[in-house]
Amino acid sequence: MLLDGETLCLFDRHRNLVPVISVEGDAEQTDARRGVGTYAAVVQGMQRLLSRGLLFGVSVTVTRDNLDLVIGREFLDDLRRRGARAVVFVEYVPFDGSRDLAIDEAGRERLAPGPSLLARGFLRHGADLVSRR
């Protein structure tokens, strides 16, 4: 994770830049796909951004294995509590032809209403972040 002091100062000076942190879901799912300790580093990065009052978002790679978790209210509420003010769902696209993790059409339909639901949950807190500066 490259959210060291120098990088945080850059984001603090240039608030038009919004970092987006990538996760695969919770600690178990993120660490399984990205390496042990990755989720802890992600959470630490979120804490650093939040402590400076910096706007940031989260990108979630959606797979067949994590779909239920990542569109769930508990997961999204946790991201909001950690300071994320935007969530982008990125559908997993296999590069090797394997469809094991790819979501199917039914999964895409379940994912489709997500942005409108997220807007109600995330955008109402945006003024809180701006007012802390």
Side-chain angles (χ1 to χ4, degrees):
M1 171 130 327
L2 298 175
L3 290 174
D4 57 16
E6 186 177 334
T7 304
L8 290 169
C9 285
L10 173 78
F11 286 123
D12 206 11
R13 284 192 314 272
H14 304 282
R15 290 193 170 243
N16 59 314
L17 299 176
V18 178
V20 177
I21 299 171
S22 181
V23 298
E24 305 290 329
D26 60 14
E28 181 181 342
Q29 291 171 328
T30 299
D31 286 356
R33 290 200 26 92
R34 300 199 181 220
V36 175
T38 300
Y39 191 79
V42 164
V43 168
Q44 186 178 46
M46 288 184 201
Q47 290 169 341
R48 288 177 180 157
L49 292 162
L50 183 61
S51 71
R52 288 182 176 242
L54 294 169
L55 180 66
F56 70 92
V58 175
S59 170
V60 181
T61 303
V62 182
T63 69
R64 181 182 309 246
D65 293 343
N66 72 0
L67 176 63
D68 290 331
L69 174 84
V70 302
I71 64 172
R73 189 87 255 158
E74 186 176 327
F75 176 74
L76 297 171
D77 285 347
D78 182 60
L79 291 177
R80 187 174 50 244
R81 278 190 301 275
R82 294 183 188 280
R85 294 299 180 252
V87 175
V88 177
F89 291 115
V90 179
E91 183 181 337
Y92 172 80
V93 177
F95 65 91
D96 62 0
S98 168
R99 303 284 308 159
D100 292 346
L101 293 175
I103 61 175
D104 57 15
E105 191 58 39
R108 281 186 207 91
E109 288 175 16
R110 290 182 58 216
L111 187 60
S116 63
L117 295 174
L118 285 174
R120 287 195 299 269
F122 278 84
L123 295 181
R124 70 172 185 232
H125 298 290
D128 296 340
L129 186 70
V130 173
S131 65
R132 282 191 268 169
R133 179 73 173 120

